[in-house]
Amino acid sequence: MALDSLKWWQTAVFYQIYPRSFADGNGDGIGDLHGIRQKLDDLQSLGVDALWLSPHYPSPQVDCGYDVADYTGVAPEYGDLDTFRSLLEEVHARGMRLILDLVLNHTSDQHPWFQESRSSLDNPKRDWYVWHKGRGGQPPNGWYSTFGGPAWELDPRTGEYYYHFFFKEQPDLNWHNPEVRAALWQAVRFWLDMGVDGFRLDAIGTIFEDPALPESTCPFTLDEMYRRSRLARSAEERLAVQKDWVELFRPQVDQPGMEDLLRELRRVVDEYDDRVLVGESDEIRYCREDMLHLVFNFPLMKTDRLTPAWVLENQRQRLGELPPTAWPCNTLGNHDVPRVYPHFDDGQHGPALARQSLALMLTLRGTPFLYNGEEIGMGDYFIQDPSQFRDPLSLRYYALEQSLLGHAPAEALRYAAENGRDRARTPLAWRNAPNGGFCPAEVTPWLPVNPEYARGVNVADQAADEGSLLNFYRRMLAFRRQHPALIAGDYQPAESGSPDVLAFVRQGEGERLLVVFNMGREAVCVNLSALGEAAEGLFSTQSPRRPAALDRLDALGLAPLEVYIARV
């Protein structure tokens, strides 16, 4: 595609900001909008084009902001609407864009809508949520919440049960009700009228459930499934458990109606110029001209080691299934999964692997999404005291490890810390100072700061080090912007002859670039002469290689874990 025909969200590199942990502007230990404003120059110098702001709405914080109590407000600990307007204005003044998280599946149980809905059987908002009578003193059926326990909660005020796919403090909205749709579209217009550039839609696969309330055909309880998943050792056992997880929740996810709902939302968004909808989904069927602009390529990250075979097969499947008018979207990390650096670190080559991870995101076809902190190689931090957990899932794991598996508290704590979501949500370290410079030394941050900031994993130290990961991010992002073929060009895999070497060509805008990754731990020589006799080296992670040198393609030497980009 021609570069000048692409929309901004097709050419942009997105950067996710977790507001509670990004920058503390008022010194209370909690990140906020003022803190983000103070760091916009840092983000501009990094070279990203668009920001995705995780939930900033008023919330009791049962699920870290994904329990929204007001869709058109700002959490007071983050600022207010005037602060948000100032942030948006300053983002746009720097030539960047801003999209917001939009939580459609559910609200907080503290939202005024739910407070009205639960107040009486005949309240006008009663049908805004999913209510059902019980069966003989029991819930309407045996469905489970994905976060544990029944999916139904008895409300003693009216004697009926409300449905919640997530925590009981997150009642599901009834999207079959036109009034619910109208109310949410009004909230969408509120932010679009203000100038917000779009939305990332949270948990869209759970918006509808089977209205007939059929029982799951899975023969195992939720606790039994947890135990089986923890005890599975072989690939066959893990596959069987995975299939049973799907069956357990089949009546509650990916139900009919989602496509029509997305079309309706798209029509609302299309009332405004140049906005974008990104779905928290890897379902390509939602990526259509009249539905979502982007869905994530989540399968790419679902491995402990990126290999040529893994990447090539992923790209073959994803690009092959995308409709002709659809656009790819790649990511290796976010607030729900391990951070990129520790995820792919093999214990010996972490810095080189982190550079390969970024280079892969910036050279594959599609829009890349990065997560705050990965540019300095932040690691996962495992909390040592269960009282410091802020993710309710960690507390659930801590209890289940002891009650279902008989593990000692210390072992249960280790598992809960390593598998909960707090690990990747700790505050960003800005300098080598107490609390990583996130907040004043005398203030306790909302989550502990990873002490790695004292070992150079902080912005200030890396900004001053030309060879740091941060400066590699800056150079690589600048390089992508300078070469339109990496943005708009076609993707064509190339045969390298080595199982350790990934090679592909990006061609467009009068430029033909060869991108080569040696994903092996040894030096290798490959024959890529099918692409030409020689290549003009443009970029390499191997410092001795000289840019603009002509390299023979019939015997291209690559250092261990080298990324090499050349004009052919």
Side-chain angles (χ1 to χ4, degrees):
M1 297 182 68
L3 185 64
D4 59 8
S5 71
L6 297 180
K7 299 291 188 180
W8 66 266
W9 47 267
Q10 294 173 303
T11 65
V13 175
F14 280 78
Y15 180 94
Q16 180 190 357
I17 291 178
Y18 197 74
R20 214 166 186 81
S21 288
F22 186 69
D24 177 9
N26 63 1
D28 64 355
I30 298 173
D32 48 49
L33 300 184
H34 184 56
I36 299 172
R37 287 176 60 195
Q38 293 174 329
K39 302 299 184 183
L40 288 178
D41 287 341
D42 292 83
L43 294 173
Q44 188 174 30
S45 70
L46 178 62
V48 295
D49 308 290
L51 309 178
W52 155 26
L53 187 64
S54 291
H56 68 288
Y57 310 100
S59 167
Q61 294 292 322
V62 170
D63 190 21
C64 306
Y66 285 89
D67 45 324
V68 176
D70 178 2
Y71 282 104
T72 57
V74 172
E77 65 268 32
Y78 294 160
D80 54 27
L81 282 172
D82 287 338
T83 315
F84 181 87
R85 290 187 182 95
S86 296
L87 170 64
L88 182 61
E89 180 181 342
E90 293 187 33
V91 168
H92 286 163
R94 288 167 173 80
M96 296 189 290
R97 305 282 187 144
L98 179 66
I99 69 171
L100 303 180
D101 241 315
L102 183 62
V103 186
L104 297 176
N105 180 75
H106 53 267
T107 69
S108 165
D109 62 354
Q110 301 304 304
H111 197 295
W113 297 345
F114 187 70
Q115 293 298 310
E116 289 187 52
S117 180
R118 76 189 315 180
S119 65
S120 67
L121 292 172
D122 57 359
N123 185 275
K125 287 188 172 60
R126 182 65 173 184
D127 195 39
W128 283 39
Y129 294 83
V130 182
W131 292 94
H132 282 279
K133 299 180 183 299
R135 300 178 305 175
Q138 297 298 316
N141 65 14
W143 288 356
Y144 290 105
S145 159
T146 191
F147 284 168
W152 301 97
E153 183 71 12
L154 176 65
D155 188 33
R157 304 183 197 187
T158 59
E160 289 191 345
Y161 291 81
Y162 67 85
Y163 174 73
H164 57 95
F165 186 80
F166 297 100
F167 292 114
K168 63 182 177 64
E169 294 87 356
Q170 296 170 291
D172 276 41
L173 286 161
N174 175 18
W175 279 92
H176 294 288
N177 187 333
E179 293 180 359
V180 169
R181 299 185 184 213
L184 265 297
W185 302 161
Q186 183 178 354
V188 165
R189 290 186 177 96
F190 174 86
W191 296 108
L192 294 177
D193 286 339
M194 196 181 296
V196 165
D197 297 292
F199 299 93
R200 174 264 192 188
L201 309 181
D202 179 65
I204 61 175
T206 61
I207 285 177
F208 291 104
E209 53 284 330
D210 192 328
L213 306 186
E215 295 289 357
S216 168
T217 59
C218 178
F220 302 100
T221 67
L222 188 64
D223 283 352
E224 289 170 342
M225 286 297 299
Y226 182 90
R227 181 178 173 82
R228 289 178 65 219
S229 66
R230 291 286 288 114
L231 297 178
R233 294 295 178 263
S234 68
E236 292 77 12
E237 289 174 325
R238 287 190 289 270
L239 180 60
V241 171
Q242 183 180 0
K243 289 181 177 179
D244 284 336
W245 275 119
V246 171
E247 200 58 42
L248 184 66
F249 289 101
R250 185 177 299 279
Q252 299 170 252
V253 300
D254 294 327
Q255 294 295 305
M258 197 61 232
E259 288 89 346
D260 288 341
L261 181 67
L262 292 177
R263 290 187 181 98
E264 189 174 325
L265 174 56
R266 178 63 178 266
R267 288 193 293 271
V268 172
V269 172
D270 283 349
E271 296 170 9
Y272 300 79
D273 291 335
D274 223 10
R275 311 301 168 95
V276 67
L277 289 174
V278 186
E280 187 197 14
S281 173
D282 56 19
E283 291 287 348
I284 289 176
R285 69 178 185 272
Y286 297 148
C287 196
R288 296 290 189 273
E289 282 187 289
D290 60 348
M291 287 189 267
L292 298 179
H293 299 87
L294 298 170
V295 295
F296 289 107
N297 178 10
F298 287 138
L300 182 61
M301 70 166 71
K302 295 180 179 178
T303 179
D304 291 331
R305 179 174 177 176
L306 294 169
T307 65
W310 179 268
V311 176
L312 288 170
E313 178 60 18
N314 171 270
Q315 293 296 288
R316 185 191 67 79
Q317 291 185 9
R318 297 294 294 187
L319 298 179
E321 293 174 7
L322 277 175
T325 57
W327 190 255
C329 176
N330 300 302
T331 188
L332 290 175
N334 58 51
H335 62 294
D336 284 333
V337 298
R339 287 189 177 274
V340 172
Y341 192 104
H343 185 172
F344 299 108
D345 185 8
D346 64 358
Q348 294 181 295
H349 307 93
L353 290 166
R355 285 162 171 77
Q356 284 215 345
S357 296
L358 175 70
L360 188 65
M361 288 297 93
L362 299 188
T363 57
L364 287 177
R365 183 169 177 263
T367 299
F369 273 69
L370 312 178
Y371 177 52
N372 64 201
E374 71 171 78
E375 69 273 23
I376 57 173
M378 283 185 69
D380 292 337
Y381 180 67
F382 303 134
I383 288 174
Q384 304 298 310
D385 179 351
S387 69
Q388 294 182 322
F389 283 139
R390 295 296 175 264
D391 179 10
L393 284 182
S394 290
L395 292 172
R396 170 171 163 75
Y397 297 153
Y398 182 59
L400 291 178
E401 289 293 302
Q402 296 176 75
S403 64
L404 294 183
L405 298 173
H407 290 161
E411 188 175 356
L413 174 61
R414 179 192 59 77
Y415 180 83
E418 292 178 359
N419 292 275
R421 299 171 296 179
D422 287 333
R423 61 186 172 179
R425 299 176 176 183
T426 55
L428 197 147
W430 290 97
R431 60 185 185 276
N432 185 359
N435 290 325
F438 170 75
C439 63
E442 66 275 11
V443 173
T444 301
W446 81 281
L447 266 179
V449 177
N450 193 324
E452 65 187 358
Y453 69 80
R455 303 191 301 274
V457 185
N458 68 76
V459 173
D461 285 357
Q462 293 197 23
D465 177 4
E466 186 61 27
S468 70
L469 183 60
L470 174 61
N471 279 312
F472 176 80
Y473 265 66
R474 290 172 173 172
R475 289 193 298 273
M476 187 81 220
L477 283 159
F479 181 83
R480 179 182 186 269
R481 188 176 287 112
Q482 293 160 5
H483 293 277
L486 294 178
I487 301 171
D490 294 334
Y491 161 91
Q492 184 63 43
E495 177 56 53
S496 72
S498 168
D500 288 330
V501 175
L502 169 68
F504 54 88
V505 172
R506 300 295 310 278
Q507 182 169 351
E509 298 297 304
E511 188 175 45
R512 186 170 182 245
L513 297 184
L514 169 64
V515 182
V516 186
F517 292 78
N518 179 10
M519 294 181 164
R521 276 56 172 172
E522 303 291 337
V524 66
C525 186
V526 294
N527 183 350
L528 293 167
S529 59
L531 301 173
E533 292 183 4
E536 178 189 352
L538 300 175
F539 187 95
S540 173
T541 53
Q542 187 69 11
S543 55
R545 189 186 293 276
R546 292 182 295 109
L550 287 178
D551 298 301
R552 288 178 50 187
L553 288 181
D554 62 345
L556 180 63
L558 298 166
L561 295 171
E562 180 177 359
V563 179
Y564 170 79
I565 305 175
R567 185 178 288 117
V568 292

